[in-house]
């Protein structure tokens, strides 16, 4: 009877693949947000049609601090692109490449969730690692739902060897996701960059793919991959390592402190993203290197992504596109004489 109850209860729990969001409406909602993604790419590429304005902080009003120059916020930028380019063009540019990236990312998200279930088996029976590693028929209905911060908790509970194995898997999944989505990322960025100069060779996805191949060959689809991949690998490795330190040696396994630990983990993640953002930004700029686009002038002036990243840091442009408000990355052409 107990077995019957357990079987009935397990059927009510959703499978991992059932809980993943692959619905058509999800992609419709994501593409409605395409104007923000388009504006974000244009800002990263250094296209600033606005004149910077002075921002007066409360300290400046009291005379304790001088006002700073900032570009208008990203919402004004989106409104400008819609007004200048037209709503349909802003919504449709790069939309297919973006949808492909989102679809592939969802697949890897499923893989991550499945591996989390396998890791849960490893934590219960470390001796069965090999069996669990190759067993693709694990019945996900017998497992509880994927809880928030479950992977972080698993990383903290695992023994050193098991932790390194799990960390390697998590990093590999993220690296493969970046590698497979990058060609679509290159096409999407170049389609957006073509709006700067009004070029026509990147209007549609098949035409854009052909243009990338004609201008930069097969390697053109992997322009900017190294810094983008490095930023993701660094973030993944350092983030899970810090989570393990927090949960195992600082706060311990006290469930009462889980809320504080989760808050620190979120802050840690955003701090890491901010730290590696210059690499991500350099990767975005380098995707248009070698193309004949007007928006690629800056990228073509660099010999490689390292020079680009150093220039961004040295000139105060490394936060370009990071903050939606108080965008203080004023370019040299907009600085007052």
């Amino acid at each position: 009877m107990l077995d019957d109850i357990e079987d009935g209860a397990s059927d009510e729990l959703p499978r991992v693949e059932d809980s993943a969001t692959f619905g058509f409406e999800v992609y419709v909602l994501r593409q409605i947000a395409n104007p923000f993604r388009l504006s974000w790419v244009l800002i990263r590429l250094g296209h600033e049609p606005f004149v910077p304005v002075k921002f007066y902080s409360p300290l400046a009003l009291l005379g304790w601090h001088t006002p700073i120059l900032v570009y208008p916020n990203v919402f004004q930028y989106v409104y400008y692109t819609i007004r200048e380019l037209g709503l349909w063009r802003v919504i449709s540019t790069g939309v297919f490449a973006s949808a492909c990236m989102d679809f592939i990312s969802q697949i890897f998200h499923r893989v991550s969730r499945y591996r989390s279930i396998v890791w849960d088996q490893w934590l219960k029976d470390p001796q069965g690692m090999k069996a669990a590693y190759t067993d693709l028929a694990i019945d996900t209905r017998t497992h509880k739902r994927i809880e928030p911060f479950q992977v972080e908790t698993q990383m903290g509970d695992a023994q050193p060897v098991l932790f390194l194995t799990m960390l390697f898997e998590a990093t590999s999944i993220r690296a493969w996701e970046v590698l497979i989505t990058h060609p679509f990322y290159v096409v999407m960025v170049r389609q957006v960059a073509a709006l700067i100069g009004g070029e026509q060779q990147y209007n549609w996805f098949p035409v854009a793919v052909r243009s990338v191949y004609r201008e930069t060959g097969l390697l053109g689809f992997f322009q900017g991959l190294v810094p983008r991949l490095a930023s993701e690998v660094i973030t993944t490795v350092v983030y899970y390592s810090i989570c393990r330190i927090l949960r195992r040696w600082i706060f311990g396994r006290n469930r009462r402190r889980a809320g504080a630990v989760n808050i620190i983990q979120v802050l840690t993640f955003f701090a890491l993203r901010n730290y590696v953002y210059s690499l991500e930004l350099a990767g975005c700029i380098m995707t248009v290197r070698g193309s004949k686009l007007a928006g690629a002038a800056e990228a073509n002036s660099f010999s490689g992504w390292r020079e680009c990243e150093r220039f961004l840091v040295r000139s105060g442009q490394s936060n370009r596109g990071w903050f939606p408000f108080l965008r203080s990355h004023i370019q040299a052409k907009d600085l007052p004489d």
Side-chain angles (χ1 to χ4, degrees):
M1 182 178 294
L2 182 60
D3 293 337
D4 294 337
I5 294 176
E6 291 178 350
D7 290 340
S10 64
D11 289 337
E12 295 177 358
L13 293 176
R15 291 178 178 269
V16 172
E17 53 268 31
D18 293 337
S19 60
T21 53
F22 266 80
F24 175 75
E25 66 279 0
V26 174
Y27 293 102
V28 172
L29 291 175
R30 287 184 177 180
Q31 301 321 314
I32 290 177
N34 196 60
F36 290 92
R37 189 183 312 210
L38 180 142
S39 299
W40 166 72
V41 172
L42 289 175
I43 292 172
R44 282 186 160 193
L45 293 176
H47 180 61
E48 289 291 350
F50 297 106
V51 176
V53 296
K54 289 184 178 181
F55 172 73
Y56 293 88
S57 67
L59 295 178
L61 295 177
L62 295 174
W64 296 346
H65 192 275
T66 58
I68 60 174
L69 291 176
V70 296
Y71 287 119
N73 62 64
V74 71
F75 295 98
Q76 291 179 267
Y77 199 106
V78 171
Y79 175 74
Y80 169 83
T81 57
I82 294 176
R83 186 185 62 189
E84 293 295 320
L85 301 174
L87 179 61
W88 171 249
R89 197 172 184 187
V90 171
I91 291 179
S92 61
T93 299
V95 69
F96 182 78
S98 299
C100 291
M101 291 173 57
D102 292 338
F103 180 78
I104 296 172
S105 296
Q106 283 288 350
I107 293 176
F108 278 94
H109 179 64
R110 283 189 175 186
V111 173
S112 298
R113 291 168 66 88
Y114 177 81
R115 294 313 301 172
S116 180
I117 292 176
V118 175
W119 296 342
D120 195 52
Q121 291 292 301
W122 288 358
L123 291 172
K124 294 177 181 178
D125 182 18
Q127 301 300 325
M129 285 180 59
K130 292 184 179 180
Y133 193 91
T134 57
D135 185 9
L136 299 179
I138 293 179
D139 189 357
T140 58
R141 292 177 301 177
T142 62
H143 297 270
K144 61 182 180 180
R145 294 173 182 267
I146 302 297
E147 299 293 337
F149 300 100
Q150 177 168 313
V151 174
E152 289 85 344
T153 303
Q154 291 172 333
M155 294 284 184
D157 293 341
Q159 295 300 315
V161 175
L162 183 55
F163 164 72
L164 292 176
T165 303
M166 294 162 59
L167 182 62
F168 176 77
E169 281 197 7
T171 306
S172 299
I173 291 172
R174 188 62 185 140
W176 276 108
E177 179 184 348
V178 173
L179 178 63
I180 295 176
T181 58
H182 195 75
F184 297 99
Y185 181 71
V186 170
V187 173
M188 185 268 292
V189 173
R190 292 199 181 195
Q191 285 185 293
V192 174
L195 297 176
I196 298 175
E199 292 89 353
Q200 302 296 319
Q201 68 266 34
Y202 286 92
N203 279 354
W204 303 101
F205 182 79
V207 179
V209 171
R210 184 180 62 182
S211 297
V212 173
Y213 179 75
R214 283 182 174 180
E215 293 180 352
T216 51
L218 286 176
L219 292 179
F221 292 98
F222 298 95
Q223 291 274 20
L225 172 64
V226 174
R228 185 167 173 246
L229 184 61
S231 69
E232 296 296 340
V233 170
I234 292 172
T235 301
T236 303
V237 172
V238 177
Y239 172 69
Y240 285 128
S241 299
I242 292 177
C243 289
R244 177 177 174 82
I245 293 173
L246 288 173
R247 291 180 175 273
R248 198 170 185 89
W249 288 299
I250 297 180
F251 288 94
R253 302 180 185 180
N254 190 345
R255 300 299 179 183
R256 296 180 180 179
R257 300 180 179 179
V261 175
N262 293 341
I263 293 174
I264 295 176
Q265 288 175 164
V266 172
L267 295 177
T268 299
F269 178 79
F270 281 104
L272 285 171
R273 296 304 303 178
N274 182 66
Y275 177 75
V276 301
Y277 184 74
S278 60
L279 292 173
E280 187 177 345
L281 177 59
C284 178
I285 295 174
M286 286 293 100
T287 57
V288 298
R289 183 171 179 267
S291 67
K292 300 177 182 179
L293 298 170
E298 182 182 45
N300 290 331
S301 66
F302 302 118
S303 60
W305 69 267
R306 292 185 182 86
E307 182 183 353
C308 176
E309 197 263 345
R310 286 194 295 266
F311 167 79
L312 293 171
V313 174
R314 188 170 57 250
S315 61
Q317 299 285 307
S318 59
N319 64 339
R320 186 194 296 174
W322 176 247
F323 297 107
F325 303 99
L326 300 180
R327 302 190 298 117
S328 59
H329 49 87
I330 307 302
Q331 300 179 15
K333 64 181 180 64
D334 294 326
L335 290 174
D337 297 332

